[in-house]
Amino acid sequence: MGKSSKDKRDAYYRLAKEQGWRARSAFKLLQLDEEFNLFENVTRVVDLCAAPGSWSQVLSRVLIKGEKFGRCAWQDREAKFRQHMLKVVPSETAQEQPASEEKPAANDELKPRRDVKIVSIDLQPISPLPGIITLRADITHPATVPLLLKALDPEYDPDTMNQQASQPVDLVISDGAPDVTGLHDLDIYVQSQLLFAALNLALCVLKPGGKFVAKIFRGRNVDLLYAQLKIFFEKVYVAKPRSSRASSVEAFIVCINFQPPEGFKASLEEPLGVGSRLPQMLADQNAAAPISAPTLMQNYESGAWDFRPETANAADEHGIYDVEVEDLSTEPRDKDIRWIAPFVACGDLSAFDSDASYKLPEDHVSLDPVQPPTAPPYKRAIELRRANGGAYGKPAGK
Amino acid sequence: MAQKSQAITRLQHSYALSPITALTFHEASPDRTLLLAGEDTWLKVYDVQTSRLLGQLSVFSSQPIHGIHVSSSSLSSSSSSSNDEIHVLIWGGHSVALLPPSSLRALLAGQTPPRPAESHAPDWIYDGILFPPSSTTQTASNTVAGALVTAHNEILPFSSSSLTTPDTENENENKPSPPPPLTFGALASPSRPILYSANLCLLSEGVLLVAGGTVFGEIIVWKYYYDADSWDREGRVLDEARETGFGGSGGGNSEAKRENEADKASGKNIWSSAVLNRGEREPLVATGGADGKIVVSGKIGGSGSSDTFEDLDLSLTCDEILQSLQNSAQPTASASQTKSKQTFQRYAFLSNTVMATTVSGRLFLATMGDPLVWEEAALPEAVVADLRGYNVIKSPARDTALLGSASGKVYLFQKGGEAHEISNLPEKVSDIILLGNSPSHASDGRPWSVIINILGLDHAILLHFDPSSNTTTIDPRKIRLPEHYIVTAAAFLNTTLILGSRTGSVTVYTDPDSGDFVPLTSRKDCKTKDAITSIVPIPGSNASSFLTTCRDGKCRIYTLPPADAPPRPNLQHEISPPLNTLEAAFFTIPSSAQGPDSKTELILHGFRGPNFLAYNDSTRAIIASISCGGAHRPFATVSCPHDPGQMRFVCSKARDLRVVSQSGEGERVLRSGGHGREIKAVSASSDGGLVATAAEDTSIRIWRHRHSDSGSPSKMDCLAILQGHSAGIQTLRFFSPPATNPSDPNAPLYLLSSAGSEELFLWRLSGLPSTTYDALAVVREAVWDDYTSPDRDLRVVDFDVVSCPATFVPSCCPQPGRDDEDETGTGFEAGAETPTAEQDKRENETENGGGEMLITMALSDSSIRVYHYSPPTSAQRNKFTPLAVGRYTGACPTQVRYLQVNERETETETEEVHVLTAFTDGHVAVWRAAPNNHQDNNNNNNNKHNNNNSGGEGPTTQLTLDLAVRVHQSSIKSLDLVKTQNRGWLVATGGDDNALGFLDLAWQGEEKEKAGGYAVRGRYRVRDAHAAAITGLSVAGVGGEEDGVTEVATVSNDQRVKLWRAERRAAGGLKVALLDNRYSSVADAGDLELIAPGKLMVGGVGMEMWDVSRGGIEESR
């Protein structure tokens, strides 16, 4: 796919180049922030699996330079116009229109925050970013903890073997994904291990009340992961920004208000995600929780106990009624504790659609990527493929 | 509300095809080799010799098997241990199970043993091994011990302490007790970096070698010492992990991304493999793919009968052959001086004899066998001189060859005899074409005929041989050729002659009693100037159909019209087998010895890359793949028509002569697979007999679905693979035209497919008129070509199709003449027509064959487009005419369905089309258009917003948005609807937001203002219906007597299939119950379809089928 064609197919690829982002994924973090106010009162952040650095770039521009990004960064003006014309959005949104007509962020007065500390870690080298400490390290390795603690707090003494940050951080983010093999089972497992690696580090450096955001693959047994993350945070959401393709299994887990369980001590020597420590914690917590009926079993009409619950009666703000389900299935439940995190779509409806193709003006000039990958893991594969005569092998008969 | 007592509908698993993720060989006895395969949660045991599935067992409840280890009886090859002591260790993810010997015995006997206890290891398992019973320390013999390697590079020892007694005393025990769970040892240090793959190998008793591949591409090798007595206490790592350099840069997981040469075409991954070393003989190699296919390559002990072809693979230089002649002291004294001048020119197989001519005109023969013993045919000097520099040879019969020379002479050579000149023609013999298409020679003493092509002559010559008189005669009837026509293939269908040309034309001849053969009609379907390489009558078709192979890589089947109709052959079938060029084809002749199940199969020969390939198109197996250096070289083959695996091949490779002979197929398909990548769409014909699947691998497969009525497993046979799309396929739909004659089994059936790159294809399906060759004929009848963007880079995300009402047919037809010019570029239509045939079609136009379609498609640029399609039998053949266009906000559509297509019945009514669409923004929208009301609509206000996107220049109407409502937070990934009473619809939607949505929609007629024809009665949502996006949804049933009850099935990326019952309450609102919730073997599900009443099919990574069983049938688990 050529650059120009990709510009049409992928609006965020084009926007990222136009707005100087290293990767389109910058919009994912911006849209997550818009929904969850991730950067509110945040000054100390750790960015894991940061390469090529687009999330760190967001941190740098928002926290250090004090830029503001709003919906106008990713709004499709034509879509907004057409929504009103076609009456797809209710009219009260139309009244908001002047408010959302924000000026481009760069023109605003910059409001840099004080005492900002941002540490970015990746296996791959990250091109330097103003005000950000970059570390090249493996987040799954125990030796990374002292490195990170030292970067966060220059007075940290690695000889103490302490694995808890003296000056913890407000937010830990991770956009890491493994090189997928195509074997779904394995890919989901490796991704979950990457998530656990990020969580293990986060548990060492996050302050109570802090936030944790990480990429997750919504596949089989994702509800086990949700349940396990819920041990440590008051609220856990699974969020899908509009800039993340609907056709992708990717989503982001947004964990709010870090509340480490009593007596819990994080340690990479005894990490979560391997062994039985986490399932045991979950079982203990579950056993301690009060037993409650899954649904209300009182019949509104008769006043008697009834196993056929009625629909909840209130419609949401979009006029949709939520229906309680009567479970008549007989499949025996496994002993695993599962929980489905609430789904939140991020980025409003007028955001560019990452699945749609856009018509570009005749005079559109396709820009070069801001920051080509420094050392992508697939580099050698591309070289080998080229040597062998391109993506589809050598032409027949040659 | 009244409690209705009703039996709860459940789901019952009835079919699955999943990636093969584990394979291992097991030699049960010296002459019985088993292959144990892991397919999803199932362990399947195959007999390699017979290719039969012996038994199967679902080992885990919801975890695919990743590996299988069969205990070796003992390291110190004690032959005393029998199968009875074989344990099978199985793992997948965190799950581990140990099958006791009794279970394997049961599987071999075709019984289903009890499911073993599923133990959960504390980490992901990559490999496992069972320790042989210790020879030194006699521990408790009922303990089975072993080790697992985890994803964090740890050895996890385990044991199973209380298995039933190892002795075989319990033979008469009817019900073996289910084995107990395993006891795991402790993980020493769980905090190592993760591995992408790991393997175990037992070096010697007490020593394990561990190899792991890291994310950095390094390979770590270390040893683990254990004590058979007390591993749980003293097991320790002695050699600390040591990084080694070898192969370190190989780039990732060793088990993934290895491509089997045979399956390169489908781009699939091989997920599992096994090798069985057999000493002297070549090893057996089994591979299992993402497509669910299991292939065993390597020769499997054949029948060994003397009739079979020998196994031989030789490369000889001309000098070596001359040398061998001298060694055998033949009187060929002049041989040595011609050294290095000799090269081979042409080849033929005279049954058991291979024949080669050289550039210098000499003729060598060898009887097939090991070694090849060469002799030179004694030819007169004059003949050698005549054949020097140029010659052609063909073998029309056993031990017989015809030779043609540059001077126009034709010689008959019979083995043991001499070469006689039988004909002296005016010009160079450019080719000799055999008539009759047997892959080998029939018995002796049959008459034969050939066509001789003479350079520059306006006709070809038909030559007959009469064995009774041993004479040849030239037929007095000349075969008249069109100008510049070079014959490359020929066949007689009864007495009708069909020729194929060097430039790809197929010509039908008159059937003269006397006088010359005159061309009657000709057609060319090959887009390039590639030669027709063979013409083969379809067996059992009563000489009405024939097959052609072409160097463009396509295989086509034509049907001759009935005698009273115009003679133009009808292209019924066109496929691209996985070969680059096709050189020959034949149909197998099943012999009675092969049993009643054996069928007539189509075998194709051709080239792919540097190899010559023999390919079974019916079983899609590669019979032989012979490295020869590529196409464009002289070669000859001979095959056994009863057993196409037996074949011989000879060709030139560089200056060498290469001879290959094989006694059987080089590979055997134990399980034929499906798509190599995720299935994105599933559709079924209206009678449920045919099912089509389409995948990210850009191919479409058509399957015959067979099932007996009640709960028996379904069978799926792949009938055809359609290639042609260049991007991942989005949607498939069958379309049955309202049949003019409903009882006609050959009524046309269409399959429509859409993909990226603005591709929408129409495929016409039909049965072949053959009593013996059972195949589905498919031809791509049309390609949508009204491209809307200059780069053609939009996706046709979804479409719907109905039969087009007569009043929708556009009144203003484009000029047919101009169309033809436009269409020549596409080349997909019927090719050059003779004027008479065109005329006939015009006359037929009033009798509409029913192929008129109304197609509404949704494109990724947020547009909805309505088209009229006219089939080739109509006046505007293969023409897509735009009728209406609508454009949404910019969000990408995901679904489109017709709600109503209203035909105009009276003058006052307008015909209208009403379409329902869903989008990535979570909205459902309804659109309306009156396609033939251009004058009214073209001037309305909306049209000015449309001026930048109407791709077709034809007059189009605006699709107006009647209704748009939000149902989901984000993308609507699946949708189905059911018509309810009072002109209403219940629309069920599956969202990316994990929710199941219901939209109660009603048509209020024209009572209200025109813009308000549709109303929403209610919108309902089941939050967290699944743990991940709901990617497939289908209405599974509608309550009969109790109206308002709809059963909906959903499938999600969380790998659960769920069945729901939605009941409209009298007081308003919707009541939803979850009826069933089952593990699905299909990862990344792309579609869920009701393919027949009560039969649900899920497509994704593999496919599976569920029976919707009513009446409370409980599956015994």
Side-chain angles (χ1 to χ4, degrees):
Chain A
M1 204 191 288
K3 248 193 310 168
S4 174
S5 178
K6 201 172 170 188
D7 281 356
K8 283 197 285 181
R9 168 72 179 81
D10 190 339
Y12 287 96
Y13 173 78
R14 176 172 57 84
L15 287 181
K17 292 190 295 180
E18 287 171 3
Q19 297 177 20
W21 299 111
R22 290 182 175 184
R24 63 197 293 290
S25 59
F27 291 102
K28 297 175 188 170
L29 186 58
L30 289 173
Q31 291 178 345
L32 287 168
D33 171 50
E34 194 214 23
E35 187 69 37
F36 293 100
N37 241 331
L38 292 177
F39 303 143
E40 192 176 35
N41 301 324
V42 162
T43 52
R44 296 170 65 82
V45 189
V46 173
D47 181 9
L48 303 171
C49 303
S54 63
W55 278 25
S56 290
Q57 215 186 346
V58 172
L59 296 172
S60 169
R61 285 172 71 171
V62 172
L63 302 185
I64 298 175
K65 284 176 78 180
E67 288 183 53
K68 266 191 173 161
F69 298 93
R71 293 181 171 189
C72 59
W74 58 78
Q75 207 158 51
D76 177 6
R77 280 160 191 280
E78 197 197 343
K80 208 165 175 64
F81 169 72
R82 293 193 62 83
Q83 279 166 3
H84 293 300
M85 193 189 78
L86 297 170
K87 299 187 177 66
V88 172
V89 286
S91 49
E92 64 265 31
T93 335
Q95 289 159 9
E96 279 177 21
Q97 201 172 358
S100 63
E101 284 286 320
E102 292 166 39
K103 295 245 165 56
N107 297 349
D108 268 314
E109 197 188 330
L110 298 178
K111 289 174 188 155
R113 299 183 195 188
R114 309 184 68 177
D115 301 325
V116 171
K117 189 81 156 184
I118 300 167
V119 180
S120 300
I121 305 182
D122 202 289
L123 288 173
Q124 304 293 333
I126 308 163
S127 298
L129 281 162
I132 289 183
I133 303 164
T134 55
L135 294 178
R136 197 173 173 192
D138 177 3
I139 63 163
T140 65
H141 205 281
T144 306
V145 177
L147 271 179
L148 175 60
L149 295 176
K150 182 83 183 160
L152 283 170
D153 179 11
E155 283 154 34
Y156 172 77
D157 179 8
D159 296 335
T160 60
M161 301 294 282
N162 187 3
Q163 294 209 341
Q164 288 293 322
S166 52
Q167 290 180 293
V169 303
D170 307 307
L171 173 65
V172 175
I173 56 179
S174 169
D175 192 23
D179 303 340
V180 292
T181 63
L183 192 59
H184 283 73
D185 243 18
L186 183 62
D187 292 343
I188 287 170
Y189 170 72
V190 176
Q191 172 63 28
S192 75
Q193 285 300 311
L194 221 47
L195 179 74
F196 278 124
L199 179 69
N200 280 318
L201 267 187
L203 295 177
C204 293
V205 298
L206 208 54
K207 74 174 186 199
K211 300 164 206 162
F212 175 63
V213 176
K215 181 178 288 191
I216 195 166
F217 284 176
R218 290 196 297 151
R220 190 164 69 90
N221 292 341
V222 71
D223 39 359
L224 292 177
L225 277 181
Y226 293 152
Q228 292 172 348
L229 287 165
K230 190 75 168 65
I231 297 175
F232 302 98
F233 296 91
E234 185 204 354
K235 288 174 181 160
V236 175
Y237 300 96
V238 59
K240 182 87 173 175
R242 295 271 285 164
S243 49
S244 170
R245 287 205 186 92
S247 47
S248 152
V249 294
E250 164 196 276
F252 294 88
I253 192 89
V254 178
C255 306
I256 312 268
N257 193 8
F258 177 49
Q259 297 175 328
E262 220 166 294
F264 174 80
K265 199 164 173 300
S267 153
L268 283 207
E269 261 78 59
E270 202 188 344
L272 304 173
V274 185
S276 55
R277 188 179 177 195
L278 195 48
Q280 193 54 50
M281 283 174 72
L282 186 56
D284 292 348
Q285 195 189 53
N286 225 49
I291 296 166
S292 59
T295 52
L296 194 62
M297 285 190 287
Q298 190 173 20
N299 189 325
Y300 289 118
E301 289 162 30
S302 64
W305 290 105
D306 190 343
F307 284 100
R308 314 194 81 182
E310 301 302 311
T311 56
N313 289 321
D316 72 352
E317 74 270 26
H318 303 289
I320 304 170
Y321 288 86
D322 278 316
V323 182
E324 287 296 329
V325 172
E326 182 186 13
D327 192 347
L328 303 174
S329 66
T330 53
E331 173 91 348
R333 278 161 207 274
D334 48 21
K335 59 181 189 299
D336 295 319
I337 297 154
R338 294 167 186 273
W339 176 72
I340 301 173
F343 180 94
V344 178
C346 302
D348 67 327
L349 287 184
S350 60
F352 276 104
D353 182 352
S354 51
D355 288 274
S357 312
Y358 287 90
K359 198 179 172 71
L360 299 174
E362 295 279 327
D363 55 354
H364 172 75
V365 178
S366 187
L367 303 172
D368 283 326
V370 174
Q371 172 78 52
T374 10
Y378 47 86
K379 193 171 149 206
R380 173 140 175 83
I382 292 173
E383 286 167 4
L384 283 173
R385 181 175 274 189
R386 278 214 188 103
N388 286 324
Y392 299 97
K394 289 180 182 172
K398 299 256 162 65
Chain B
M1 174 162 274
Q3 286 265 7
K4 284 160 191 156
S5 67
Q6 54 188 28
I8 291 170
T9 312
R10 303 283 186 207
L11 294 172
Q12 193 171 358
H13 190 268
S14 77
Y15 172 85
L17 176 63
S18 307
I20 308 295
T21 45
L23 282 176
T24 193
F25 281 111
H26 171 53
E27 284 187 287
S29 64
D31 53 355
R32 189 177 203 196
T33 305
L34 304 177
L35 185 67
L36 280 69
E39 183 182 337
D40 188 47
T41 64
W42 293 82
L43 171 72
K44 300 194 172 184
V45 183
Y46 294 88
D47 185 313
V48 173
Q49 267 83 5
T50 61
S51 303
R52 273 188 51 226
L53 173 66
L54 299 175
Q56 55 182 2
L57 172 68
S58 179
V59 177
F60 300 131
S61 62
S62 61
Q63 170 62 50
I65 293 171
H66 292 161
I68 305 166
H69 173 82
V70 182
S71 67
S72 56
S73 29
S74 167
L75 272 185
S76 55
S77 64
S78 65
S79 55
S80 61
S81 53
S82 66
N83 274 331
D84 296 324
E85 288 166 52
I86 298 296
H87 289 81
V88 182
L89 177 69
I90 300 164
W91 62 92
H94 293 265
S95 299
V96 187
L98 186 65
L99 275 193
S102 59
S103 290
L104 186 60
R105 281 197 300 271
L107 282 168
L108 296 187
Q111 298 155 352
T112 305
R115 177 184 276 188
E118 184 172 341
S119 306
H120 291 272
D123 195 6
W124 193 269
I125 303 303
Y126 277 143
D127 200 5
I129 203 162
L130 289 168
F131 298 144
S134 172
S135 52
T136 52
T137 52
Q138 280 302 320
T139 54
S141 57
N142 58 355
T143 301
V144 178
L148 303 161
V149 58
T150 71
H152 288 82
N153 205 15
E154 277 292 317
I155 289 296
L156 180 66
F158 69 90
S159 70
S160 169
S161 50
S162 55
L163 285 174
T164 46
T165 49
D167 291 317
T168 56
E169 310 297 321
N170 55 354
E171 279 292 317
N172 48 5
E173 216 175 285
N174 282 335
K175 199 169 180 290
S177 56
L182 304 173
T183 316
F184 294 108
L187 283 177
S189 166
S191 60
R192 295 162 188 279
I194 190 170
L195 299 179
Y196 265 42
S197 64
N199 283 88
L200 286 176
C201 167
L202 194 62
L203 285 183
S204 59
E205 193 173 312
V207 186
L208 272 179
L209 188 68
V210 187
T214 73
V215 65
F216 304 102
E218 295 153 335
I219 298 172
I220 297 169
V221 183
W222 53 287
K223 282 180 188 166
Y224 177 86
Y225 297 90
Y226 70 96
D227 184 324
D229 241 347
S230 50
W231 49 262
D232 50 345
R233 279 178 283 120
E234 298 196 5
R236 60 198 191 277
V237 179
L238 288 191
D239 283 7
E240 192 45 60
R242 175 170 63 94
E243 287 178 7
T244 59
F246 60 87
S249 61
N253 51 93
S254 65
E255 72 179 297
K257 306 278 179 184
R258 262 177 302 150
E259 274 188 328
N260 183 347
E261 189 243 347
D263 288 298
K264 238 174 215 168
S266 61
K268 66 152 200 180
N269 288 323
I270 289 179
W271 294 131
S272 53
S273 61
V275 179
L276 181 68
N277 287 307
R278 300 185 296 175
E280 296 281 291
R281 304 168 67 195
E282 61 169 327
L284 285 184
V285 179
T287 54
D291 57 356
K293 189 176 186 177
I294 304 176
V295 178
V296 177
S297 48
K299 293 282 183 313
I300 297 152
S303 55
S305 101
S306 57
D307 290 346
T308 54
F309 289 5
E310 58 290 321
D311 284 309
L312 202 67
D313 188 341
L314 289 173
S315 269
L316 298 164
T317 64
C318 218
D319 291 342
E320 280 168 350
I321 290 172
L322 291 170
Q323 204 71 39
S324 73
L325 291 176
Q326 282 168 334
N327 290 349
S328 58
Q330 288 209 3
T332 48
S334 62
S336 55
Q337 84 253 12
T338 53
K339 229 179 189 182
S340 78
K341 273 190 196 165
Q342 296 284 1
T343 51
F344 293 105
Q345 178 117 23
R346 299 293 179 105
Y347 307 96
F349 276 106
L350 283 60
S351 287
N352 293 322
T353 306
V354 60
M355 178 186 243
T357 61
T358 67
V359 174
S360 59
R362 294 167 69 178
L363 202 59
F364 296 99
L365 293 136
T367 302
M368 292 300 289
D370 196 7
L372 280 183
V373 180
W374 291 92
E375 53 181 299
E376 181 170 4
L379 298 182
E381 272 302 317
V383 176
V384 172
D386 189 31
L387 294 177
R388 186 168 297 151
Y390 174 88
N391 54 61
V392 289
I393 53 170
K394 285 287 168 68
S395 172
R398 182 178 287 264
D399 295 337
T400 306
L402 280 176
L403 295 97
S405 77
S407 67
K409 291 195 173 65
V410 178
Y411 304 94
L412 177 68
F413 175 84
Q414 285 165 311
K415 198 183 170 192
E418 294 206 330
H420 302 282
E421 181 184 324
I422 54 170
S423 162
N424 191 356
L425 298 161
E427 277 292 340
K428 174 175 167 177
V429 176
S430 69
D431 205 357
I432 299 169
I433 294 139
L434 302 180
L435 291 162
N437 289 278
S438 175
S440 67
H441 301 306
S443 50
D444 299 311
R446 297 278 265 316
W448 48 262
S449 306
V450 296
I451 287 173
I452 298 171
N453 215 22
I454 312 296
L455 192 71
L457 213 60
D458 65 348
H459 65 271
I461 286 155
L462 185 59
L463 183 87
H464 301 291
F465 175 78
D466 182 0
S468 57
S469 58
N470 204 22
T471 53
T472 55
T473 48
I474 287 180
D475 197 301
R477 302 170 295 175
K478 290 174 179 166
I479 301 171
R480 293 280 168 200
L481 299 177
E483 206 173 350
H484 305 304
Y485 197 96
I486 299 165
V487 185
T488 50
F492 274 101
L493 267 68
N494 284 343
T495 51
T496 305
L497 175 67
I498 318 282
L499 294 187
S501 84
R502 175 172 266 174
T503 53
S505 293
V506 173
T507 308
V508 180
Y509 275 76
T510 53
D511 182 5
D513 291 329
S514 60
D516 292 349
F517 290 95
V518 178
L520 203 57
T521 177
S522 200
R523 65 179 289 163
K524 179 175 185 301
D525 296 293
C526 150
K527 279 173 276 171
T528 48
K529 284 191 171 178
D530 281 311
I532 304 289
T533 48
S534 71
I535 300 177
V536 186
I538 305 288
S541 72
N542 197 19
S544 68
S545 296
F546 61 93
L547 175 145
T548 67
T549 55
C550 181
R551 288 229 169 90
D552 70 353
K554 293 212 162 89
C555 172
R556 300 180 177 88
I557 294 177
Y558 297 89
T559 306
L560 291 176
D564 50 342
R568 186 183 153 81
N570 171 38
L571 176 64
Q572 205 183 353
H573 184 56
E574 183 178 63
I575 53 158
S576 303
L579 291 84
N580 299 132
T581 67
L582 292 178
E583 299 290 343
F586 67 91
F587 289 94
T588 60
I589 303 165
S591 71
S592 50
Q594 284 160 311
D597 285 344
S598 59
K599 295 178 198 152
T600 299
E601 294 173 342
L602 171 62
I603 311 296
L604 298 169
H605 287 171
F607 293 93
R608 184 172 74 193
N611 290 348
F612 174 84
L613 249 65
Y615 177 74
N616 186 328
D617 186 63
S618 302
T619 62
R620 280 171 281 278
I622 288 173
I623 295 167
S625 176
I626 300 164
S627 156
C628 66
H632 309 296
R633 65 190 60 243
F635 72 96
T637 64
V638 62
S639 301
C640 171
H642 309 295
D643 177 11
Q646 292 187 49
M647 67 165 292
R648 293 170 178 144
F649 172 80
V650 59
C651 74
S652 300
K653 184 178 183 187
R655 293 173 70 87
D656 291 3
L657 170 146
R658 183 151 160 71
V659 190
V660 177
S661 171
Q662 65 177 35
S663 61
E665 281 103 335
E667 62 176 48
R668 203 174 280 212
V669 178
L670 296 195
R671 175 143 170 79
S672 47
H675 289 282
R677 288 195 57 194
E678 302 90 327
I679 295 173
K680 289 290 176 193
V682 176
S683 178
S685 61
S686 52
D687 64 354
L690 292 181
V691 176
T693 53
E696 277 289 311
D697 63 9
T698 73
S699 70
I700 300 168
R701 282 173 179 251
I702 302 178
W703 311 76
R704 181 180 289 137
H705 169 228
R706 280 191 295 210
H707 60 93
S708 47
D709 291 327
S710 58
S712 71
S714 290
K715 272 195 74 179
M716 295 286 274
D717 299 315
C718 184
L719 300 179
I721 301 175
L722 315 185
Q723 305 280 1
H725 281 291
S726 65
I729 296 167
Q730 306 271 337
T731 304
L732 280 177
R733 279 187 215 287
F734 274 99
F735 172 72
S736 311
T740 38
N741 178 8
S743 60
D744 181 7
N746 290 326
L749 178 66
Y750 285 91
L751 180 69
L752 285 78
S753 58
S754 80
S757 307
E758 293 178 34
E759 290 173 341
L760 183 119
F761 296 163
L762 275 84
W763 310 84
R764 193 179 68 234
L765 317 184
S766 51
L768 282 177
S770 167
T771 53
T772 52
Y773 178 54
D774 179 25
L776 181 76
V778 186
V779 67
R780 185 166 64 180
E781 182 179 282
V783 172
W784 174 60
D785 54 1
D786 185 23
Y787 308 123
T788 57
S789 65
D791 299 330
R792 287 185 57 190
D793 54 2
L794 303 183
R795 283 163 291 141
V796 183
V797 175
D798 194 15
F799 65 88
D800 201 0
V801 56
V802 290
S803 182
C804 190
T807 50
F808 276 64
V809 178
S811 43
C812 44
C813 314
Q815 295 299 307
R818 223 203 78 225
D819 288 347
D820 280 358
E821 279 164 24
D822 285 355
E823 286 171 18
T824 43
T826 70
F828 296 117
E829 74 282 6
E833 298 236 354
T834 59
T836 41
E838 186 80 290
Q839 192 60 45
D840 283 317
K841 290 201 163 159
R842 290 283 149 72
E843 284 158 12
N844 282 340
E845 100 184 48
T846 45
E847 180 230 343
N848 180 359
E852 306 261 351
M853 298 178 207
L854 191 68
I855 300 171
T856 299
M857 51 185 102
L859 281 87
S860 59
D861 67 348
S862 205
S863 69
I864 314 294
R865 293 163 186 273
V866 186
Y867 282 85
H868 168 259
Y869 169 74
S870 18
T873 48
S874 68
Q876 317 146 47
R877 30 187 216 91
N878 298 23
K879 180 71 185 173
F880 288 87
T881 313
L883 298 182
V885 181
R887 190 154 180 270
Y888 190 62
T889 62
C892 183
T894 59
Q895 306 282 334
V896 55
R897 298 285 191 289
Y898 287 113
L899 287 176
Q900 304 185 67
V901 178
N902 297 330
E903 217 168 329
R904 179 171 50 186
E905 281 156 7
T906 66
E907 276 301 310
T908 53
E909 288 177 27
T910 49
E911 66 268 10
E912 284 211 331
V913 52
H914 300 174
V915 190
L916 179 111
T917 53
F919 294 91
T920 51
D921 65 1
H923 282 68
V924 168
V926 180
W927 307 76
R928 295 168 67 182
N932 268 350
N933 262 5
H934 318 303
Q935 293 80 9
D936 305 343
N937 276 320
N938 267 356
N939 297 327
N940 71 14
N941 286 335
N942 287 336
N943 203 44
K944 70 180 167 207
H945 303 300
N946 185 38
N947 53 10
N948 60 347
N949 57 34
S950 66
E953 70 275 29
T956 52
T957 320
Q958 183 74 18
L959 265 175
T960 52
L961 189 69
D962 200 278
L963 183 95
V965 287
R966 183 176 168 128
V967 185
H968 289 276
Q969 284 194 61
S970 65
S971 183
I972 295 175
K973 306 205 88 166
S974 49
L975 180 149
D976 202 3
L977 49 86
V978 60
K979 206 161 184 170
T980 58
Q981 57 193 11
N982 302 328
R983 305 187 90 175
W985 290 265
L986 185 67
V987 182
T989 52
D992 190 38
D993 58 359
N994 307 345
L996 169 65
F998 291 97
L999 175 67
D1000 194 351
L1001 190 70
W1003 166 246
Q1004 302 179 325
E1006 303 290 354
E1007 301 145 23
K1008 290 171 67 181
E1009 291 303 308
K1010 195 183 175 186
Y1014 282 88
V1016 173
R1017 290 203 198 119
R1019 281 176 286 159
Y1020 309 95
R1021 170 176 53 208
V1022 177
R1023 279 184 196 269
D1024 303 330
H1026 281 271
I1030 299 176
T1031 49
L1033 182 151
S1034 178
V1035 170
V1038 181
E1041 309 98 76
E1042 312 160 90
D1043 192 33
V1045 175
T1046 307
E1047 283 170 0
V1048 173
T1050 55
V1051 68
S1052 156
N1053 279 340
D1054 67 1
Q1055 280 189 250
R1056 307 296 300 187
V1057 178
K1058 295 188 180 181
L1059 187 67
W1060 310 83
R1061 186 180 64 208
E1063 193 174 342
R1064 217 187 253 153
R1065 298 193 306 169
L1070 198 73
K1071 196 157 75 177
V1072 180
L1074 175 64
L1075 303 181
D1076 211 347
N1077 173 5
R1078 304 288 298 272
Y1079 163 77
S1080 166
S1081 62
V1082 178
D1084 205 358
D1087 203 357
L1088 171 72
E1089 265 308 295
L1090 189 74
I1091 56 169
K1095 298 274 174 188
L1096 287 165
M1097 184 166 153
V1098 180
V1101 177
M1103 53 198 208
E1104 70 179 355
M1105 213 104 76
W1106 296 90
D1107 285 1
V1108 184
S1109 54
R1110 266 156 239 289
I1113 300 169
E1114 294 278 344
E1115 189 188 356
S1116 56
R1117 288 183 61 89

